[in-house]
Amino acid sequence: MTSDSRPRRRVRTVLKVLGAIMLALVVVGGVLYVTTPWAPKIEVVEPGPGGERVTDDGMLANHYPAEGAGPHSAVLLIGGSEGGLNPFMDEMAREIRDAGHTTLVLSYWGAEDQPERMEELPLESFTTALDWLSAHPEVDPERIGMLGVSKGGEATLLMASRDPRIRAAVGYVPSHVVWPGIDMRHPWKMMGMGSTWSEGGQPVPFLPYTDEFRGGTTAEFYQMSLDTLPQHPEAEIPVEESEAGMLLVCGEDDTLWPGCPMARAAQERSETHDGPVIEVLAYPDAGHLISGPPITAQEAEDRKLTQMGGTPQGIAAARTDAWPKVLDFLDAELG
């Protein structure tokens, strides 16, 4: 080794370490958007009007039965990296109930006696919830759907590709690949985490984060990681194996991750492999926080929904346009 090659190696080592630190900070900043520093608040809301708490078979969920004589169609709802049973997912469950579908909104991590981080979370948690709905005397087991937001959208695509009971799948800002896990309480440990999900006690194959990132938004970081997908094809979710029609909703100005490119990738894969019809609703001035019933631009600003991209007007317009289409989709697919 020459004397001048050693300094070059030291420089490359320092740059690699600095890059890894920057990468960790970027990812941590992205996933902690609903938290206070290093102390995330995970909410578990009580059931709202007409609802009941469900703890059967180890579940933690709020159940909202549809009114009138059954059997009814039903929708399982799950959130993402915020964990627990949060108010906005519970609100969506009640709104979908009011539209005529029995709903079950599920906590699958972060609450008391549940995993403290999103790593190798068992897909069987969702299977248990689907079993519960299927066995409910006022639910038609042939008319069950699933709705997930962000990481919950990732799980919804995964479950729809595995469980034929799911006849309709709605993914708000979903992913078409499986990503590594998230640790909200110890974010400095995240870079070495394994798959977010497990099945049968084994991790579901996932797409590792790139180690080449040197700065930018988390969406750019995720996009650079997606560029390595050809080396990890097993991480892509086989949406073509689903029995469910799918509706995916995204914002083109999502600064957390590339929700619209990932939604379109799922759509393209399904078309290429003769899978189910996947419709994508993409909104140019909306970001990551666009799920749920209509709100005004002032409400979007007051609730700081632009912190993950978009404008207040764009987010309000997206939610106003998308929500009735989500309800129409559920009506059409579930009967």
Side-chain angles (χ1 to χ4, degrees), residues 102-146:
T102 287
T103 57
L104 185 73
V105 56
L106 177 73
S107 173
Y108 60 95
W109 85 277
E112 187 177 358
D113 298 325
Q114 291 187 332
E116 293 188 354
R117 62 183 191 174
M118 297 188 78
E119 184 176 29
E120 295 192 16
L121 298 176
L123 295 179
E124 288 83 358
S125 296
F126 309 128
T127 302
T128 297
L130 292 169
D131 290 343
W132 189 90
L133 282 172
S134 298
H136 196 282
E138 295 197 8
V139 169
D140 182 351
E142 299 296 322
R143 295 189 292 146
I144 295 178
M146 187 168 178

Coordinates of all heavy atoms in Angstrom, one line a residue, residues 102-146:
T102 N -70.1 -2.6 8.4 CA -69.6 -2.9 9.7 C -68.1 -2.7 9.6 O -67.4 -3.1 8.6 CB -69.9 -4.3 10.1 OG1 -71.3 -4.4 10.5 CG2 -69.1 -4.8 11.3
T103 N -67.5 -2.1 10.7 CA -66.0 -1.8 10.6 C -65.4 -2.3 11.9 O -66.0 -2.4 13.0 CB -65.8 -0.3 10.5 OG1 -66.4 0.4 11.5 CG2 -66.2 0.2 9.1
L104 N -64.1 -2.6 11.8 CA -63.3 -3.0 12.9 C -61.9 -2.3 12.7 O -61.2 -2.6 11.7 CB -63.1 -4.5 12.9 CG -62.3 -5.1 14.1 CD1 -63.2 -5.0 15.4 CD2 -61.9 -6.5 13.9
V105 N -61.6 -1.4 13.6 CA -60.3 -0.7 13.5 C -59.4 -1.3 14.6 O -59.7 -1.4 15.7 CB -60.5 0.8 13.7 CG1 -61.2 1.2 14.9 CG2 -59.1 1.6 13.6
L106 N -58.2 -1.7 14.1 CA -57.4 -2.6 14.9 C -56.1 -1.9 15.3 O -55.4 -1.3 14.5 CB -57.0 -3.9 14.1 CG -56.1 -4.9 14.7 CD1 -56.8 -5.7 15.8 CD2 -55.6 -5.9 13.6
S107 N -55.7 -2.1 16.6 CA -54.3 -1.8 17.0 C -53.5 -3.0 16.9 O -53.8 -4.1 17.5 CB -54.3 -1.3 18.5 OG -53.0 -1.1 18.9
Y108 N -52.3 -3.0 16.2 CA -51.5 -4.1 16.0 C -50.1 -3.9 16.5 O -49.3 -4.9 16.5 CB -51.5 -4.6 14.6 CG -51.0 -3.6 13.6 CD1 -49.6 -3.6 13.2 CD2 -51.8 -2.6 13.0 CE1 -49.2 -2.6 12.3 CE2 -51.4 -1.7 12.1 CZ -50.0 -1.7 11.8 OH -49.6 -0.8 10.9
W109 N -49.8 -2.7 17.0 CA -48.5 -2.5 17.7 C -48.6 -1.2 18.5 O -49.4 -0.4 18.2 CB -47.3 -2.5 16.6 CG -47.1 -1.1 16.1 CD1 -47.8 -0.5 15.0 CD2 -46.2 -0.1 16.5 NE1 -47.4 0.7 14.8 CE2 -46.4 1.0 15.7 CE3 -45.2 -0.1 17.5 CZ2 -45.6 2.2 15.8 CZ3 -44.5 1.1 17.7 CH2 -44.7 2.2 16.8
G110 N -47.7 -1.1 19.5 CA -47.5 0.2 20.2 C -48.4 0.3 21.4 O -48.1 1.1 22.3
A111 N -49.5 -0.4 21.5 CA -50.4 -0.3 22.7 C -49.8 -1.1 23.8 O -48.8 -1.9 23.6 CB -51.8 -0.6 22.4
E112 N -50.4 -1.1 25.0 CA -49.9 -1.9 26.1 C -50.0 -3.4 25.8 O -51.0 -3.8 25.2 CB -50.8 -1.6 27.4 CG -50.3 -2.2 28.6 CD -51.2 -1.9 29.8 OE1 -52.1 -1.1 29.7 OE2 -50.9 -2.4 30.9
D113 N -48.9 -4.1 26.1 CA -48.8 -5.5 25.9 C -48.7 -5.8 24.4 O -48.8 -7.0 24.0 CB -50.0 -6.3 26.5 CG -50.0 -6.1 28.0 OD1 -48.9 -6.1 28.7 OD2 -51.1 -6.1 28.6
Q114 N -48.4 -4.8 23.6 CA -48.1 -5.1 22.2 C -46.7 -4.7 21.8 O -46.0 -4.1 22.7 CB -49.1 -4.2 21.3 CG -50.5 -4.7 21.4 CD -51.4 -4.0 20.4 OE1 -51.2 -2.8 20.0 NE2 -52.5 -4.6 20.0
P115 N -46.2 -5.2 20.7 CA -44.8 -4.9 20.4 C -44.5 -3.4 20.4 O -45.3 -2.6 20.1 CB -44.6 -5.4 19.0 CG -45.6 -6.5 18.9 CD -46.8 -6.1 19.7
E116 N -43.3 -3.0 20.9 CA -42.9 -1.6 21.1 C -42.3 -1.0 19.8 O -42.1 0.2 19.7 CB -41.9 -1.5 22.2 CG -42.5 -1.7 23.6 CD -41.6 -1.4 24.7 OE1 -40.4 -1.0 24.4 OE2 -42.0 -1.5 25.9
R117 N -42.0 -1.9 18.8 CA -41.5 -1.4 17.6 C -42.0 -2.2 16.4 O -42.4 -3.3 16.6 CB -40.0 -1.3 17.6 CG -39.3 -2.7 17.7 CD -37.8 -2.5 17.8 NE -37.1 -3.8 17.7 CZ -35.7 -3.8 17.6 NH1 -35.0 -2.7 17.6 NH2 -35.1 -5.0 17.5
M118 N -42.0 -1.6 15.2 CA -42.5 -2.3 14.0 C -41.4 -3.1 13.4 O -40.7 -2.8 12.5 CB -43.0 -1.2 13.0 CG -44.1 -0.4 13.5 SD -44.8 0.7 12.2 CE -45.8 -0.5 11.3
E119 N -41.2 -4.3 14.0 CA -40.2 -5.2 13.4 C -40.8 -6.7 13.6 O -41.2 -7.1 14.7 CB -38.9 -5.1 14.1 CG -37.8 -6.0 13.5 CD -36.5 -5.9 14.1 OE1 -36.4 -5.5 15.3 OE2 -35.5 -6.1 13.4
E120 N -40.8 -7.4 12.4 CA -41.4 -8.7 12.4 C -42.7 -8.8 13.1 O -43.0 -9.8 13.8 CB -40.4 -9.7 12.9 CG -39.1 -9.8 12.1 CD -38.2 -10.9 12.4 OE1 -38.6 -11.9 13.1 OE2 -37.0 -10.9 12.0
L121 N -43.6 -7.8 12.8 CA -44.9 -7.9 13.3 C -45.7 -9.0 12.6 O -45.7 -9.1 11.3 CB -45.6 -6.6 13.1 CG -45.0 -5.4 13.8 CD1 -45.8 -4.1 13.4 CD2 -45.0 -5.6 15.3
P122 N -46.4 -9.9 13.3 CA -47.0 -11.0 12.6 C -48.2 -10.6 11.8 O -49.1 -10.0 12.3 CB -47.4 -12.0 13.8 CG -47.5 -11.0 15.0 CD -46.5 -9.9 14.8
L123 N -48.2 -11.0 10.5 CA -49.4 -10.9 9.7 C -50.6 -11.6 10.2 O -51.7 -11.3 9.9 CB -49.1 -11.3 8.3 CG -48.0 -10.5 7.5 CD1 -47.9 -11.1 6.1 CD2 -48.4 -9.0 7.4
E124 N -50.3 -12.6 11.1 CA -51.4 -13.3 11.7 C -52.3 -12.5 12.6 O -53.5 -12.8 12.8 CB -50.8 -14.5 12.6 CG -50.3 -15.6 11.8 CD -48.8 -15.4 11.3 OE1 -48.3 -14.3 11.6 OE2 -48.3 -16.3 10.7
S125 N -51.8 -11.3 13.0 CA -52.7 -10.3 13.7 C -53.8 -9.9 12.9 O -55.0 -9.8 13.4 CB -51.9 -9.1 14.2 OG -50.9 -9.5 15.1
F126 N -53.6 -9.7 11.6 CA -54.6 -9.3 10.7 C -55.5 -10.5 10.3 O -56.7 -10.3 10.2 CB -54.0 -8.7 9.4 CG -53.0 -7.6 9.7 CD1 -51.8 -7.6 9.2 CD2 -53.3 -6.5 10.6 CE1 -50.8 -6.6 9.4 CE2 -52.4 -5.5 10.9 CZ -51.2 -5.6 10.3
T127 N -54.9 -11.7 10.2 CA -55.7 -12.9 10.0 C -56.7 -13.1 11.1 O -57.9 -13.4 10.9 CB -54.8 -14.1 9.8 OG1 -53.9 -13.9 8.8 CG2 -55.6 -15.3 9.6
T128 N -56.3 -12.9 12.4 CA -57.2 -13.0 13.5 C -58.3 -12.1 13.4 O -59.5 -12.4 13.7 CB -56.4 -12.8 14.8 OG1 -55.4 -13.8 15.0 CG2 -57.3 -12.8 16.0
A129 N -58.1 -10.8 13.0 CA -59.1 -9.8 12.9 C -60.1 -10.2 11.8 O -61.3 -10.1 11.9 CB -58.5 -8.5 12.6
L130 N -59.6 -10.7 10.7 CA -60.4 -11.2 9.6 C -61.3 -12.4 10.0 O -62.4 -12.5 9.6 CB -59.6 -11.5 8.3 CG -58.9 -10.3 7.7 CD1 -57.9 -10.8 6.6 CD2 -59.9 -9.4 7.0
D131 N -60.6 -13.3 10.8 CA -61.4 -14.4 11.3 C -62.6 -14.0 12.2 O -63.7 -14.5 12.1 CB -60.5 -15.3 12.2 CG -59.4 -16.1 11.4 OD1 -59.6 -16.2 10.1 OD2 -58.4 -16.5 12.0
W132 N -62.3 -13.0 13.0 CA -63.3 -12.5 13.9 C -64.5 -11.9 13.1 O -65.7 -12.1 13.4 CB -62.7 -11.4 14.8 CG -63.6 -11.0 15.9 CD1 -63.8 -11.5 17.2 CD2 -64.6 -9.9 15.9 NE1 -64.7 -10.8 17.9 CE2 -65.2 -9.8 17.1 CE3 -64.9 -8.9 14.9 CZ2 -66.2 -8.9 17.4 CZ3 -65.9 -8.0 15.2 CH2 -66.5 -8.0 16.4
L133 N -64.2 -11.1 12.1 CA -65.2 -10.5 11.3 C -66.0 -11.6 10.5 O -67.2 -11.6 10.4 CB -64.6 -9.5 10.3 CG -64.2 -8.1 10.8 CD1 -63.5 -7.3 9.7 CD2 -65.5 -7.3 11.2
S134 N -65.2 -12.5 10.0 CA -65.9 -13.6 9.2 C -66.9 -14.4 10.0 O -67.9 -14.9 9.5 CB -64.8 -14.5 8.6 OG -64.0 -13.8 7.7
A135 N -66.5 -14.6 11.3 CA -67.4 -15.4 12.2 C -68.5 -14.6 12.8 O -69.4 -15.2 13.4 CB -66.5 -16.0 13.3
H136 N -68.5 -13.3 12.7 CA -69.5 -12.5 13.3 C -70.9 -12.8 12.7 O -71.0 -12.8 11.4 CB -69.2 -11.0 13.2 CG -70.0 -10.1 14.1 ND1 -71.3 -9.8 13.9 CD2 -69.6 -9.6 15.3 CE1 -71.7 -9.0 14.9 NE2 -70.7 -8.9 15.8
P137 N -71.9 -13.0 13.5 CA -73.2 -13.4 12.9 C -73.8 -12.4 12.0 O -74.7 -12.7 11.2 CB -74.1 -13.7 14.2 CG -73.4 -13.0 15.3 CD -71.9 -13.0 14.9
E138 N -73.5 -11.1 12.2 CA -74.1 -10.1 11.3 C -73.2 -9.6 10.2 O -73.4 -8.5 9.6 CB -74.5 -8.9 12.2 CG -75.6 -9.3 13.2 CD -76.4 -8.1 13.7 OE1 -76.1 -7.0 13.3 OE2 -77.2 -8.3 14.7
V139 N -72.1 -10.3 9.9 CA -71.2 -10.0 8.8 C -71.3 -11.1 7.7 O -71.3 -12.3 8.1 CB -69.8 -9.9 9.3 CG1 -68.8 -9.8 8.2 CG2 -69.6 -8.6 10.2
D140 N -71.4 -10.7 6.5 CA -71.3 -11.6 5.4 C -69.8 -11.9 5.1 O -69.1 -11.0 4.6 CB -72.0 -11.0 4.1 CG -72.0 -11.9 2.9 OD1 -71.3 -13.0 3.0 OD2 -72.7 -11.6 1.9
P141 N -69.3 -13.1 5.3 CA -67.9 -13.4 5.1 C -67.5 -13.3 3.7 O -66.3 -13.3 3.4 CB -67.8 -14.8 5.7 CG -69.1 -15.4 5.5 CD -70.1 -14.3 5.8
E142 N -68.4 -13.2 2.7 CA -68.0 -13.1 1.3 C -67.9 -11.6 0.9 O -67.5 -11.3 -0.2 CB -69.1 -13.7 0.4 CG -69.3 -15.2 0.7 CD -68.1 -16.0 0.3 OE1 -67.4 -15.7 -0.7 OE2 -67.8 -17.0 1.1
R143 N -68.1 -10.7 1.9 CA -68.0 -9.3 1.6 C -67.2 -8.5 2.6 O -67.7 -7.7 3.4 CB -69.5 -8.7 1.5 CG -70.3 -9.3 0.3 CD -71.6 -8.5 0.1 NE -72.5 -8.7 1.3 CZ -73.3 -7.8 1.8 NH1 -73.3 -6.6 1.2 NH2 -74.1 -8.0 2.8
I144 N -65.9 -8.8 2.6 CA -65.0 -8.2 3.6 C -63.9 -7.4 2.8 O -63.3 -7.9 1.8 CB -64.4 -9.2 4.5 CG1 -65.4 -9.9 5.4 CG2 -63.3 -8.6 5.3 CD1 -64.9 -11.0 6.3
G145 N -63.7 -6.2 3.3 CA -62.6 -5.4 2.7 C -61.6 -5.0 3.7 O -61.7 -5.3 4.9
M146 N -60.5 -4.3 3.3 CA -59.5 -3.9 4.2 C -59.0 -2.5 3.7 O -58.8 -2.3 2.5 CB -58.3 -4.9 4.2 CG -57.3 -4.6 5.3 SD -56.1 -6.1 5.5 CE -55.0 -5.4 6.7

